[in-house]
Amino acid sequence: MSAATPESVTTGPNSQGSLYLLSLDYDRSINEPYLEVLESLDSKVRWCREVTVMGVISFCCFSLDQLAGCVHFLDSRPAAVEECSEKGCLAVSLLELLGFNLTFIFLASLLVLIQPVAAGSGIPEIKCYLNGVKVPGIVRLRTLVCKALGVLFSVAGGLFVGKEGPMIHSGAVVGAGLPQFQSISLRKIQFNFPYFRSDRDKRDFVSAGAAAGVAAAFGAPIGGTLFSLEEGSSFWNQGLTWKVLFCSMSATFTLNFFRSGIQFGSWGSFQLPGLLNFGEFKCPESDKKCHLWTAVDLGFFILMGILGGLLGATFNCINKRLAKYRMRNVHPKPKLVRVLESLLVCLTTTLVVFVASMVLGECRPLSSTNHGGNSSLGLQDSSSDEVNSSIKTFFCPNDTYNDMATLFFNPQESAILQLFHQEGTFSPVTLSLFFLLYFLLSCWTYGISVPSGLFVPSLLCGAAFGRLVANLLKSYIGLDHIYSGTFALIGAAAFLGGVVRMTISLTVILIESTNEITYGLPIMITLMVAKWTGDLFNKGIYDIYVNLRGVPLLEWETKAEMDKLRASDIMEPNLMYVYPHTRIQSLVSILRTTVHHAFPVVTENRAYEREFMKWDQLISNNIKFKKSSILTRAGEQRKRSQSMKSYPSSELRNVCDDHIATEEPPETEDMLQQMLERRYTPYPNLYPDQSPSEEWTMEERFRPLTFHGLILRSQLVTLLVRGVCYAENQSSTSQPRLSYGEMAEDYPRYPDIHDLDLTLLNPRMIVDITPYMNPSPFTVSPNTHVSQVFNLFRTMGLRHLPVVNAVGEIVGIITRHNLTHEFLQARLRQHYRTI
């Protein structure tokens, strides 16, 4: 098989911690088997299947979120510590606390050792998957089990982590695996369900699963849909919107139905929309001057947004340095070192929480109305009971409570409710110390080898910051009309927005969690200001981890200066290609000596143009003009080897400049009829056996290749496995035909060419590729600007983008690697040097 040096199509930028990653095929291969399926496809039946699968995904997400809610049953230690504070057995309670926490964190770390990709929140990995990068093991069943159980132990172990991020990852795994009705971890479980077997369908279900995870965690179905759109999915369409929204709604109300029945015994009351409920924001009825917020407060909210962006940027900067340190000094060492690091963080966190609660806390008087004057304790305001019951009185007399212990020795959700609704004044000193300690410890914790989320810790840290601002405004400026809960909510939004840099989805999530639409404007303004401020210094925390792992993530758009480059400047001209009819020995050789996942289908036949040039002077002149203005592979390679800036005036030697004798065409020849016949001539049967020679010229090595389509590696392997071929003395019509279901039967793990026993196949047999190739993939011209190439590649979810000149010759190919920021910057610098 004649081919040049293979192009790099799958590797990411050479950054620290980079992995060898594959891309996903989100573009449909519209070949003959697929067209046969379309003819028999009933859109109503497919719609019913999708709705059914979405409903099952939402139920599974409810089950996972309900499992995460079990963490409160494991957390009976604060009561034991409070009893010991009265009996004088603090040393025993501290040892008990350490024993529980270290055991839980040890179990969480072991689960991460079993499946390393289960560490962290999983949101950066899901973002990469939806962007088109296949991260190994990210949607495996083993990952789901380790993630769900690991986050349960992480939260129960007292670490400053949240369970919402891992639940989003878990929902995405359910969305990816459930429609397949099979699992590599459970090989014996196989169902005959041949639908949704493509990366494109799986991507849509992953988007729905991630949205369902957000919806169930926060009780925010619309926010979950927008989260999947804004932070997760890179490719979106109108049909996907309602599917994701339906899945999010189903997850929210399924969780609401069961939690209301299990917790209150009131089945069908729908009183608990999500795992995290912020309660009702309401001013005390006795305070007529109180308002949730006023126009004057918007100025303070903007300042809080600026501070939140600065704090978020600081958090991200410190965490990034810690992550780089772990990559250099922790990850290369034995896996036991990661477990020891997690135990060290757990030990430090436990000691800090215990000592701070006992030493730094102040005894504050209980308010007569602990929930802002709203004494309704029924189902309509269950958060009032939680606020009252979560008050801690360590070493404090009656009618007082320990403000530091109330914040530290409560589940994070209860501590957030305290800051939002507890009208008893938290000491400014306590809030400052709590914010500082929580900021540092949560920053140290995020990134260790345990499943951990960042939403709730950021909300709690920001709520303390907002409550501190409210206390200072009341105490030193005399603004008695402000509502402390509002400032706590705005502080939580500012800090979380400064860390993750989300705007639209986070605004809707907070509005749905508070059930207060009037907070929409201040939350949106605060988040926008926090994002703008943080973006001046660094990226969001999820984007930072994507870059640290070297994932070739495609951003929303390229910089304007990149339009100085064209497709010919960034494409790879060295191609590995196949012919429409190729011998088995050639296909096996190509597949075993390359790692490419798609191959152009080409032919090498230019005799027709030479005949036309003989017959007509006008055609000859037009072809000469075409030759002088068309970019070819040989010309591009010569240009790069000579580091020339402009294209050569003539790309092919001895073609345009040679004198070509013209002859009058025979009168008996009908020129138009011959052209029409040649236009519809079938692909020639080419059986190339010759490999490139070192003695070949540039034109011989980079011969003109007429582009006919694109064939995937998985499709070629499937054809070989199933023996789809014909003998040389037979017609290609005798070749067996495969259906679409047979082609996709092994999805998503197709056989490896190195593991196949092909001894039964005759290497001289021929494979007709044309029925299974994609004859009309997306292509671009060599003169297309990079911004247009980037938008087409990203919007359509492509994996390979052939570059075809004006005469139908393929001159190069563009992959994800050619569109990464690092690659484009390098080519732009090279462009400047050649000026």
Side-chain angles (χ1 to χ4, degrees), residues 428-457:
V429 176
T430 298
L431 291 173
S432 301
L433 292 174
F434 175 80
F435 173 79
L436 180 62
L437 295 175
Y438 208 94
F439 179 94
L440 296 176
L441 288 175
S442 60
C443 186
W444 185 21
T445 303
Y446 189 75
I448 62 175
S449 295
V450 296
S452 58
L454 199 60
F455 271 90
V456 172

Side-chain angles (χ1 to χ4, degrees), residues 116-314:
V117 77
S121 66
I123 294 179
E125 289 80 7
I126 293 301
K127 183 175 181 179
C128 294
Y129 185 91
L130 294 176
N131 191 263
V133 180
K134 186 177 182 180
V135 181
I138 192 62
V139 290
R140 291 277 299 276
L141 177 62
R142 182 187 302 176
T143 303
L144 173 64
V145 175
C146 294
K147 196 84 172 186
L149 295 179
V151 72
L152 182 68
F153 294 134
S154 298
V155 176
L159 292 180
F160 293 163
V161 298
K163 56 182 179 293
E164 283 69 23
M167 289 302 102
I168 296 172
H169 183 190
S170 300
V173 177
V174 171
L178 191 62
Q180 307 300 313
F181 286 91
Q182 65 178 4
S183 171
I184 192 173
S185 301
L186 303 174
R187 299 179 185 274
K188 295 183 178 180
I189 300 180
Q190 297 285 342
F191 295 93
N192 186 17
F193 193 78
Y195 311 104
F196 310 128
R197 294 196 176 277
S198 68
D199 289 338
R200 186 188 186 98
D201 292 327
K202 182 182 285 190
R203 174 197 68 189
D204 294 345
F205 286 115
V206 168
S207 300
V214 176
F218 294 96
I222 301 177
T225 303
L226 293 176
F227 173 86
S228 183
L229 171 61
E230 178 185 12
E231 188 66 15
S233 300
S234 299
F235 320 107
W236 200 265
N237 57 66
Q238 185 178 9
L240 183 61
T241 304
W242 75 265
K243 300 173 190 175
V244 174
L245 182 60
F246 170 79
C247 191
S248 300
M249 285 287 186
S250 301
T252 301
F253 285 97
T254 303
L255 180 66
N256 198 340
F257 176 80
F258 282 96
R259 290 193 70 205
S260 299
I262 294 173
Q263 188 163 339
F264 293 108
S266 179
W267 296 93
S269 60
F270 297 103
Q271 296 302 316
L272 295 174
L275 293 179
L276 182 61
N277 185 15
F278 292 155
E280 181 183 0
F281 287 76
K282 186 176 181 180
C283 288
E285 296 179 358
S286 59
D287 189 355
K288 302 301 181 181
K289 296 182 179 180
C290 176
H291 299 281
L292 291 183
W293 67 279
T294 62
V296 178
D297 297 334
L298 286 177
F300 296 109
F301 296 159
I302 293 175
L303 293 177
M304 292 176 66
I306 295 175
L307 292 176
L310 293 174
L311 292 171
T314 304

